Amino acid sequence: MSPHLLVDTTKPGWWSDGVERIPVPTTTDADTHDTGAAIWRDPSRPAEERIDALVAAMTPAEKLAQLGSHWADHRSPDEVIAPMQDVMSAGRDTFEGAVRDGIGQLTRVFGTAPVTAREGMAKVQASQQHLLTRTRLGVPAVVHEECLTGFTAYQAAVYPTSMAWAATFHPELVREMAHAIGTDMAAVGVHQGLSPVLDVVTDYRWGRVEETLGEDPYVVATLATAYVQGLQEGGVLATLKHFAGHATSRGGRNHAPVSMGVRELRDLVLPPFEMAVKVGRSASVMNSYTELDHVPAAADRWLLTDLLRGEWGFTGTVVSDYWAVPFLKAKHGVAATVADAARLAVHAGIDVELPDLAGYAQLDLDDPEVAADVEIALRRVLRQKLELGLLDEGWTPAEPVDVDLDSPRNRDIARRLAEESVVLLADDHTVLPLSPATSRIAVVGPCVEDPAALMGAYSFPLHVLPRHPGLGLGIEVAPLPEALRSELPGTEVVVRPGCPLVEPDTGQIAEAVEAARDCDVVLAVVGDRAGMFGKGTSGEGSDAPGLDLPGDQVALVEALLGTGRPVVLVVVSGRPYALGAFVDRAAAIVQAFLPGSEGPGAIARVLTGSVNPSGHLPVQVPATGSALPHTYLAPPLGQDGDKISNLSIAAAFPFGHGLSYTSFEVSGPVLDATEVPTDGAVTATATVTNTGERAGATVVQLYAADPVAQVTRPVRQLVGYARVHLEPGAGAEVTFALHTDRFSFTGLERARVVEPGELELSVGRSLGDLTGSATLTLTGPLRRVGSRPVLTTDVSVRAIQEVAG
């Protein structure tokens, strides 16, 4: 038993994890249910009959209890891991009191305090046995956890952040990772994961950029859908968040209102959710904290019911983001009381209140309208429990066992993801790959010896363990200098911090410059260290005032460039930072988006060439931090040029950019038809060849331009992509199958349409490296797209040439 799990000897049958004591039931109360006679426990009966029977057996309090959760968490006000946790947690009931009528879910049993897999399972078992034997109906709870960069639990693998997954452009690998996360969580008794994040980036200053999959809705949609499929194949329900518009808050400020019209909402924000619902079959959705056009998402029936369920056919559960229900009173002012807030939320379509049962416990079931809304939500909750097997006769929680959450399988997936995510932005071919003959390398940066700086804010080491400093990271992670020494055993690696992360420099820059002058190569490692609510430079509630590197890191890089030694700039960050000042002065620039526990080794192997870089940017990298916000999807009026402003918004590196230690040529596209009807389809074939001397991978990208439309459109927008690995001299044909639905947009009448006219299809290795184009004409009448649009571009890759030699 670990030192942080304490047996309470004053109360036999109780144990504590330092958060809340949980009773371990030893006998069945006399007034509990008769399990043998319950129709709802019989798996041979039709699902609706079982649900009818259970609903009929419930008291009003038992019905409401199923619509809430309990978080066994009590901590000091300075230890929050959720917004306004110190305020909203005040007066929380004990476990026994909170579940007297049962409970719908259990909140973060593993992710609140450091417990091993066995200890967490014991905690789940005790809670579930209490529900089974000491509540009248004995209905088990759904156990949910965070799982964005892996299962957010002690001693669990830490995968790269979502932004890093996006840089791989590799849905199959993301699906493999999610499946591993799901099987680990299912093995310890977790049913639901609060991931993935489908917010489309519109302002890089937003702290949660690291949690997103970038600024292109198709990339976000395809990778998030792959995650959903993998997690649910692993046995855990996925939860899409944050529905909708969370990343488009004013000024990039966490929780700020959203200013957006219906077309931007429909064409930019909603497509990833639509694909994850219709293609991924996600089991759950979580509302956004924000408000769109002055309507909070938690109270928006159009969003959560009319659109999500009516238009898209979603049949799962909608869960609230933590305290989003009482926030309708406290933060939005659309409810006079918490009871009023609950009434608005359940009518809008939120089925489960997280993380505690607060507002929903106050719902008045004597009100026929409220009772009808509760009945609908309750049946959804019970149907999901039935599908999970929780309502079956004889169901019991798993016995606690040792589970390796940081297994070799997990490490292998984390390693491959990290390696494929590293982006080589610039390379003058004088330094990289680093030579084993290099005598001395200076590694300079404020976080170079802190491996936690390569992890996301929702990883357990950063999310929870800072409050338990004696436990370290809980997993083995070598810092970057150690990884470099392993890759270059004959090279001396000199380490200096250079400057603090955010505080003013106190002479460390001068020390770093002195050390750098005596080295052959300088690695300037700059960027972020993630943390929650201002305790980091990236992460939830850690929003940026601008896009220059935090603290004195710009001054540090300038000083290192001034030494005359070749400088390789390595940016390890959760968001893109302005790098335009360094593009023509650094020997090379490498971007790593918080690559996780295997990140130090991945970066080292890319720098030394044992791994050929293959990552591509899922966001632009800005040249300057002065003109915000801007992403590549702006219409003509929002693009750089024409001298209409003194502020340039040109990117230092465009969307999709990524270099390699080999070279590729992309040609095409060749269309199978130059004219198709507005309800037709076309194939576009590109050819890619590895013209260099070593094996490598690149991402072939297909963009569409709609130069004349009834509403303004992005100058170009990605409509398909394929990651292709090629041996030296080898080539491949990449064929994109495009239904005309893929060119649809929200028109003047606020409906999705395909419009006749000319389109331009272009291919290349980035938005800034388009090497060929073809014109496609859509003929016939304007067509309204139906309720089942084609959302994906099917891609096939065919080898066309043997490896040379």
Side-chain angles (χ1 to χ4, degrees), residues 447-510:
C447 298
V448 292
E449 294 190 287
D450 179 10
L454 281 74
M455 301 179 187
Y458 267 84
S459 65
F460 196 85
L462 289 182
H463 203 61
V464 176
L465 287 181
R467 295 178 295 282
H468 305 270
L471 297 177
L473 296 178
I475 56 175
E476 292 295 325
V477 187
L480 179 58
E482 184 177 326
L484 282 167
R485 292 185 183 105
S486 177
E487 290 293 314
L488 299 170
T491 300
E492 182 183 357
V493 178
V494 179
V495 181
R496 295 290 186 274
C499 67
L501 181 66
V502 292
E503 294 81 8
D505 173 52
T506 58
Q508 292 176 327
I509 291 179

Side-chain angles (χ1 to χ4, degrees), residues 360-560:
Y360 278 18
Q362 302 180 43
L363 287 168
D364 180 8
L365 296 190
D366 289 332
D367 182 325
E369 293 184 1
V370 172
D373 289 332
V374 166
E375 177 92 2
I376 292 170
L378 175 62
R379 297 182 72 89
R380 291 174 185 148
V381 168
L382 296 180
R383 185 174 296 107
Q384 205 157 68
K385 288 191 174 187
L386 185 148
E387 291 168 351
L388 288 167
L390 296 177
L391 303 186
D392 291 353
E393 178 68 36
W395 181 90
T396 57
E399 290 291 329
V401 294
D402 293 323
V403 178
D404 185 0
L405 301 177
D406 193 26
S407 64
R409 175 201 65 173
N410 295 355
R411 283 283 181 155
D412 175 66
I413 297 170
R415 174 189 58 78
R416 286 184 281 134
L417 265 168
E419 290 175 349
E420 292 188 11
S421 72
V422 177
V423 185
L424 180 60
L425 296 178
D427 184 12
D428 69 3
H429 306 291
T430 62
V431 175
L432 295 185
L434 295 173
S435 169
T438 305
S439 176
R440 301 182 78 205
I441 294 175
V443 182
V444 181
C447 298
V448 292
E449 294 190 287
D450 179 10
L454 281 74
M455 301 179 187
Y458 267 84
S459 65
F460 196 85
L462 289 182
H463 203 61
V464 176
L465 287 181
R467 295 178 295 282
H468 305 270
L471 297 177
L473 296 178
I475 56 175
E476 292 295 325
V477 187
L480 179 58
E482 184 177 326
L484 282 167
R485 292 185 183 105
S486 177
E487 290 293 314
L488 299 170
T491 300
E492 182 183 357
V493 178
V494 179
V495 181
R496 295 290 186 274
C499 67
L501 181 66
V502 292
E503 294 81 8
D505 173 52
T506 58
Q508 292 176 327
I509 291 179
E511 295 173 5
V513 167
E514 183 178 353
R517 287 196 176 107
D518 293 331
C519 294
D520 303 307
V521 177
V522 180
L523 301 183
V525 184
V526 296
D528 287 317
R529 189 185 193 281
M532 305 284 286
F533 306 110
K535 294 184 178 179
T537 57
S538 175
E540 184 175 3
S542 294
D543 307 315
L547 293 177
D548 291 320
L549 290 163
D552 283 333
Q553 293 183 83
V554 170
L556 171 64
V557 176
E558 289 286 357
L560 294 173

Side-chain angles (χ1 to χ4, degrees), residues 745-766:
F745 58 89
T746 303
L748 287 171
E749 297 182 2
R750 295 178 172 83
R752 181 183 283 177
V753 297
V754 177
E755 191 175 42
E758 287 191 353
L759 303 173
E760 182 183 72
L761 298 180
S762 304
V763 294
R765 297 179 59 239
S766 78

Side-chain angles (χ1 to χ4, degrees), residues 7 17 78 80 105 253 382 399 513 542 580 641 688 724 751 763 769:
V7 175
D17 66 350
D78 62 343
V80 298
Q105 297 205 9
R253 182 179 179 273
L382 296 180
E399 290 291 329
V513 167
S542 294
V688 56
V724 182
V763 294
D769 182 27

Side-chain angles (χ1 to χ4, degrees), residues 5-132:
L5 182 62
L6 306 175
V7 175
D8 188 347
T9 57
T10 65
K11 293 186 177 182
W14 290 62
W15 61 269
S16 171
D17 66 350
V19 180
E20 180 177 313
R21 292 185 176 95
I22 303 295
V24 180
T26 55
T27 60
T28 302
D29 291 355
D31 61 345
T32 55
H33 55 280
D34 177 4
T35 58
I39 293 173
W40 56 269
R41 286 192 175 275
D42 184 353
S44 69
R45 292 178 179 268
E48 292 307 308
E49 182 182 347
R50 295 173 67 189
I51 293 170
D52 290 342
L54 182 51
V55 171
M58 287 181 163
T59 66
E62 288 168 338
K63 291 179 178 181
L64 296 178
Q66 290 299 313
L67 307 189
S69 191
H70 177 69
W71 195 358
D73 176 50
H74 300 277
R75 66 182 71 237
S76 64
D78 62 343
E79 294 182 337
V80 298
I81 57 175
M84 293 185 66
Q85 183 175 347
D86 52 337
V87 176
M88 305 309 294
S89 297
R92 176 183 282 129
D93 203 349
T94 65
F95 173 80
E96 277 195 311
V99 305
R100 65 176 64 88
D101 297 304
I103 201 72
Q105 297 205 9
L106 297 175
T107 296
R108 303 202 63 183
V109 178
F110 292 84
T112 298
V115 294
T116 66
R118 178 184 285 270
E119 293 162 356
M121 293 182 74
K123 190 174 180 180
V124 169
Q125 183 187 47
S127 299
Q128 296 283 35
Q129 288 291 355
H130 182 95
L131 292 169
L132 285 168

